[in-house]
Amino acid sequence: MRISRVVLVLMLCGVCAPAPAVTPDVGTAPTPAVVFDIDGTLTPRPLEFLEARPDAARAVRLFADKGYKIIYLSARNRHFDSATRHWLKDHQFPQGLVLVEETRADARHHDRFKTRMLQQLRAQGWQPEYAYGDSSTDFTAYAAAGIPKQHVFALRREHQSSCRRGAWEACLDGWTGHLGDIEKTVPPAAAK
């Protein structure tokens, strides 16, 4: 059953037109932001892209409510851009900038793609302060983009015993136990 749903989504998204990569102008002041990988981070596993982890949307909303801009940075194929935006909306994730791979080279080198995107965002005034991921390529990109290790969190993939290697502060089993930390330790973006 699960495989047939995946095949159906792949067939439907094969005709989805990717949205152009548009980065909103943030003005001259640095704009505090939080970066979220999607597959394996907001979803239970990389191939479980139809489901959301429990409390993932709530965690992202906590950052948005504190005034942080949200960046969804995924190595998903650009043909999934429209489906990704619908998935985020359907699962009640707050609005944010959605960036997916742009080229075949991006598909082969996720860390380079994510590093390039984060560096471009910094050049445009975005200030990624926190980041969440589930793969070593996420953590490589976050370090290269200058996100402090103590603000990088790894999500353990469902049915895995540990988090992937990388420079991160903590390995989280899921979002529910991390909600209190976000509420208590993350200052409002305006206070930055």
Side-chain angles (χ1 to χ4, degrees), residues 62-134:
L62 287 173
F63 279 102
D65 289 348
K66 288 180 178 253
Y68 290 85
K69 297 294 183 185
I70 305 301
I71 302 167
Y72 299 105
L73 181 58
S74 177
R76 284 184 175 188
N77 184 289
R78 64 188 169 145
H79 295 291
F80 286 100
D81 183 66
S82 179
T84 299
R85 292 170 192 277
H86 288 290
W87 181 87
L88 290 165
K89 184 178 178 183
D90 291 347
H91 286 86
Q92 301 178 350
F93 284 91
Q95 283 190 321
L97 181 61
V98 179
L99 299 170
V100 295
E101 71 171 38
E102 298 175 340
T103 67
R104 288 183 188 204
D106 293 342
R108 289 189 301 273
H109 304 286
H110 298 171
D111 55 338
R112 292 181 196 169
F113 158 68
K114 291 183 177 191
T115 299
R116 185 180 79 246
M117 292 291 100
L118 291 170
Q119 289 171 342
Q120 288 176 2
L121 289 170
R122 277 198 186 275
Q124 295 172 8
W126 293 75
Q127 188 68 38
E129 306 255 344
Y130 294 87
Y132 292 84
D134 74 306

Side-chain angles (χ1 to χ4, degrees), residues 13-55:
C13 288
V15 297
C16 298
V22 176
T23 308
D25 182 17
V26 294
T28 56
T31 302
V34 183
V35 182
F36 295 92
D37 171 58
I38 297 176
D39 297 316
T41 302
L42 300 179
T43 69
R45 289 184 296 253
L47 293 178
E48 291 285 333
F49 56 85
L50 297 177
E51 298 178 41
R53 282 182 185 252
D55 287 324

Side-chain angles (χ1 to χ4, degrees), residues 118-184:
L118 291 170
Q119 289 171 342
Q120 288 176 2
L121 289 170
R122 277 198 186 275
Q124 295 172 8
W126 293 75
Q127 188 68 38
E129 306 255 344
Y130 294 87
Y132 292 84
D134 74 306
S135 71
S136 297
T137 57
D138 295 333
F139 310 129
T140 298
Y142 300 158
I147 301 172
K149 174 187 170 185
Q150 62 270 25
H151 289 178
V152 174
F153 298 89
L155 272 289
R156 186 179 53 77
R157 293 176 180 174
E158 188 176 74
H159 305 299
Q160 297 291 310
S161 61
S162 62
C163 287
R164 302 293 170 137
R165 285 191 220 154
W168 37 262
E169 180 65 17
C171 175
L172 307 175
D173 289 330
W175 291 101
T176 305
H178 189 56
L179 296 174
D181 294 334
I182 297 169
E183 290 173 337
K184 294 175 189 167

